[in-house]
Amino acid sequence: TFCAAVDWFSLISVIGLLCFAPFIVFYFVMACDQYQCSVSQPLLDLFRGDTTLLSIWARAPSFTWSAAKIYTIWVAFQLFLYMCVPDVTHKFIPGYVGGVQDGARTPAGLINKYEINGLQCWLITHALWYANAQHFHWFPPTIIFDHWIPLMWCANILGYAVSSFAFIKAYLFPTNSEDCKFTGNVFYNYMMGIEFNPRVGKWFDFKLFFNGRPGIVAWTLINLSYMAKQQELYGHVTNSMVLVNVLSPMYFMTIDICHDHFGWYLGWGDCVWLPYLYTLQGLYLVYHPVQLSTPHALAVLLLGLVGYYIFRSTNHQKDLFRRTEGSCSIWGRKPVYIECSYRSADGGVHRSKLMTSGFWGVARHLNYTGDLMGSLAYCAACGFGHVLPYFYIVYMTILLVHRCVRDEHRCGSKYGKDWKRYTDAVPYRLVPGLF
């Protein structure tokens, strides 16, 4: 167990997010449902007295047992795939690392084992979705859109329930007390999490399941449901909707949580924030079926593909380098790296290598740069008629720049002088020559 002080800025940010994040999600979804995706119109109507908060609330669909049944079946099915279907895809897909794998070393020096079967889970889920749409017809493919706001209340219930359970668990029966991080503030503990890798039993890992399953696997299904709704309403699917569906699977593996503790930020965020705000583009296109010009569509696709290539190649180089401990080839050459040492919480001294060649010699977080290029393409697929679809790139820029600064502060504390040698060798964070 270790304690950390919380500065006033962090505390105010945490309380602000706890209070306002659920309303931000409701506001964007309500704006589409009631105001044709206009972000400003609800505020203008409230300011002029044309509507009231109570009337907006009254017009919003409420919780339904139909939505609760759909959501329960969805989460239970994902839980079944996660716990009961060991990965076989790594045996067939070259370069894919699945099955039982070691995780990163925790602050206390522990290494957990994980059953990596996320890609297999995604493939099974989407194969069943396709089979239902083409043959079985158990439910209409527009089911997610048709129950979108009632499903939001169900997602909130799960998000708050799992966050609260993880919070109480950390005090009463933590999985590993050495990796618990307590601060003097209950709000910060609840939001940012206490336990590093809370688990129930040997294999159910809260971080891996909630970050990877109910929200992220649903991301592409949600966009497919929007596509089906566009077809139902207008009799055709626009090229912008096709682009949104093509680009979203490229980026649903981009969320890096290995350094986060599990609290409301991840528990509620993965259940509500991610599936509702990361899919605003498709929701917007149901209300505004934009048909892009061919040059615009090709430019968006190219930006997305280049961003994806940079993101995947950068991460692949890092994984290859780590797996082989530097005994590999990067861009046809032996990788260049800086030898580092650090001390874990248990007092043990460990050695590490920081690569300074390949993409990692261009910028220290070039994987984030590729991620941001893809995020911009995902938004630009919606044209330039409204601001709402661009929430995602604004949010991702803030998130990833903050993560850059946070990670570098952590690495500076961890590696000391070795980190200074590394930043001298690779001076830029995201954009070579600029930042």
Side-chain angles (χ1 to χ4, degrees):
T1 305
F2 58 100
C3 296
V6 181
D7 59 86
W8 278 104
F9 177 75
S10 297
L11 181 58
I12 291 165
S13 302
V14 160
I15 293 172
L17 274 171
L18 279 169
C19 294
F20 294 113
F23 290 103
I24 291 168
V25 176
F26 174 77
Y27 185 83
F28 279 114
V29 176
M30 174 279 299
C32 281
D33 184 52
Q34 298 181 25
Y35 289 91
Q36 291 291 300
C37 298
S38 171
V39 176
S40 57
Q41 198 58 46
L43 295 173
L44 290 171
D45 281 6
L46 284 167
F47 182 73
R48 291 194 297 249
D50 295 342
T51 191
T52 63
L53 289 172
L54 281 176
S55 63
I56 288 174
W57 180 258
R59 288 197 299 272
S62 56
F63 172 90
T64 66
W65 287 108
S66 299
K69 184 170 73 173
I70 294 163
Y71 196 71
T72 303
I73 291 169
W74 166 250
V75 175
F77 179 61
Q78 292 306 311
L79 189 58
F80 167 76
L81 290 180
Y82 172 66
M83 294 295 290
C84 305
V85 188
D87 188 76
V88 294
T89 53
H90 68 280
K91 295 177 181 177
F92 308 107
I93 301 174
Y96 174 66
V97 181
V100 177
Q101 299 291 332
D102 288 342
R105 189 180 298 276
T106 71
L110 297 172
I111 295 177
N112 291 309
K113 289 201 174 292
Y114 294 89
E115 171 66 54
I116 306 298
N117 61 0
L119 178 61
Q120 174 176 279
C121 159
W122 186 86
L123 291 169
I124 292 171
T125 302
H126 285 70
L128 284 172
W129 178 274
Y130 178 79
N132 171 73
Q134 295 298 318
H135 302 290
F136 298 118
H137 308 296
W138 294 320
F139 53 84
T142 59
I143 188 169
I144 300 173
F145 178 88
D146 295 337
H147 294 85
W148 195 224
I149 294 181
L151 282 169
M152 182 173 70
W153 306 128
C154 302
N156 269 284
I157 291 167
L158 178 65
Y160 277 98
V162 73
S163 306
S164 302
F165 176 77
F167 178 72
I168 294 164
K169 176 185 177 304
Y171 285 97
L172 301 182
F173 47 100
T175 303
N176 177 35
S177 57
E178 288 88 2
D179 272 320
C180 288
K181 176 185 173 183
F182 291 95
T183 69
N185 189 276
V186 69
F187 295 109
Y188 192 91
N189 288 349
Y190 182 74
M191 178 173 172
M192 299 309 295
I194 298 168
E195 285 199 82
F196 197 70
N197 290 111
R199 290 186 165 202
V200 171
K202 184 181 178 183
W203 291 108
F204 184 77
D205 186 277
F206 280 69
K207 261 166 80 171
L208 188 62
F209 178 75
F210 283 98
N211 187 67
R213 304 309 158 88
I216 285 190
V217 173
W219 186 343
T220 38
L221 288 187
I222 292 162
N223 281 335
L224 287 171
S225 186
Y226 292 154
M227 183 188 272
K229 194 67 184 181
Q230 199 184 62
Q231 174 71 41
E232 180 188 283
L233 289 174
Y234 309 108
H236 69 281
V237 174
T238 61
N239 59 3
S240 54
M241 183 66 90
V242 173
L243 274 173
V244 162
N245 275 270
V246 166
L247 292 170
S248 59
M250 294 183 182
Y251 291 91
F252 69 66
M253 293 172 282
T254 67
I255 295 156
D256 178 14
I257 55 155
C258 61
H259 302 299
D260 295 322
H261 290 249
F262 186 87
W264 181 86
Y265 167 72
L266 286 180
W268 179 86
D270 291 332
C271 291
V272 183
W273 184 272
L274 188 154
Y276 278 82
L277 295 188
Y278 287 19
T279 60
L280 285 172
Q281 292 74 18
L283 184 61
Y284 169 82
L285 292 172
V286 172
Y287 294 94
H288 299 273
V290 176
Q291 182 69 21
L292 302 174
S293 68
T294 303
H296 185 158
L298 289 173
V300 167
L301 182 61
L302 183 64
L303 177 64
L305 291 174
V306 170
Y308 180 69
Y309 171 76
I310 291 171
F311 172 79
R312 297 299 296 174
S313 300
T314 307
N315 281 340
H316 173 70
Q317 286 181 0
K318 179 178 71 175
D319 294 340
L320 180 66
F321 179 77
R322 280 183 176 171
R323 213 164 50 241
T324 62
E325 295 189 354
S327 304
C328 59
S329 175
I330 302 290
W331 288 354
R333 295 196 184 104
K334 199 174 185 321
V336 182
Y337 56 84
I338 289 171
E339 285 270 9
C340 303
S341 63
Y342 66 94
R343 193 179 293 275
S344 56
D346 61 0
V349 176
H350 307 277
R351 301 200 72 77
S352 187
K353 296 180 175 81
L354 297 173
M355 184 163 52
T356 59
S357 59
F359 280 119
W360 295 94
V362 178
R364 301 198 292 268
H365 304 275
L366 206 69
N367 52 339
Y368 291 170
T369 309
D371 203 345
L372 288 172
M373 289 168 71
S375 301
L376 179 59
Y378 188 51
C379 299
C382 297
F384 305 108
H386 276 69
V387 73
L388 180 133
Y390 288 86
F391 170 82
Y392 183 64
I393 181 62
V394 172
Y395 169 73
M396 288 301 287
T397 302
I398 294 167
L399 177 78
L400 294 180
V401 170
H402 171 262
R403 185 161 283 166
C404 266
V405 175
R406 184 197 68 179
D407 288 356
E408 299 213 341
H409 175 73
R410 195 188 69 252
C411 288
S413 302
K414 180 178 176 179
Y415 295 119
K417 289 178 183 175
D418 291 334
W419 183 252
K420 177 70 171 67
R421 284 166 56 213
Y422 173 66
T423 56
D424 287 344
V426 188
Y428 294 103
R429 287 188 174 113
L430 284 170
V431 184
L434 286 176
F435 175 71

